[in-house]
Amino acid sequence: MAHFAGDMAVLEELGTLKEKTVEVIKESLGTKRDEIDLSISDLILIPVERLPEDDRKLLLKVAQELEGDAKLKIVRR
């Protein structure tokens, strides 16, 4: 995962999500892409109760740190 600030991409690996979590996120957003840019408004669409506890904690922590129009990038490897 990484986040974007303004016109500059600030890449920092923040953690790894389980495959199940990525599938829930993709389903929630209606995408099939392997790279997903999430905004704060996208995060509220994800049913966190369906996520494994470790992934839920990671996403909530990251969501609290996102500022303004920053984006969280999830890249499937």
Side-chain angles (χ1 to χ4, degrees):
M1 293 189 288
H3 68 279
F4 292 86
D7 293 339
M8 182 186 341
V10 179
L11 301 177
E12 173 186 0
E13 189 166 319
L14 303 172
T16 302
L17 299 173
K18 293 176 180 58
E19 183 70 26
K20 175 184 177 180
T21 299
V22 175
E23 292 303 319
V24 170
I25 291 170
K26 288 169 69 172
E27 179 184 311
S28 301
L29 301 176
T31 186
K32 295 180 191 269
R33 299 182 58 210
D34 287 335
E35 287 192 21
I36 306 166
D37 292 332
L38 297 173
S39 65
I40 292 174
S41 60
D42 292 328
L43 288 170
I44 62 172
L45 300 174
I46 300 168
V48 292
E49 68 278 357
R50 291 181 49 200
L51 304 180
E53 185 175 348
D54 291 343
D55 290 351
R56 181 174 46 243
K57 287 179 182 178
L58 177 60
L59 283 174
L60 291 174
K61 178 182 177 237
V62 170
Q64 292 173 348
E65 295 175 7
L66 284 180
E67 297 178 8
D69 58 353
K71 298 224 179 204
L72 173 67
K73 182 177 205 81
I74 298 176
V75 178
R76 189 175 188 190
R77 298 186 210 171

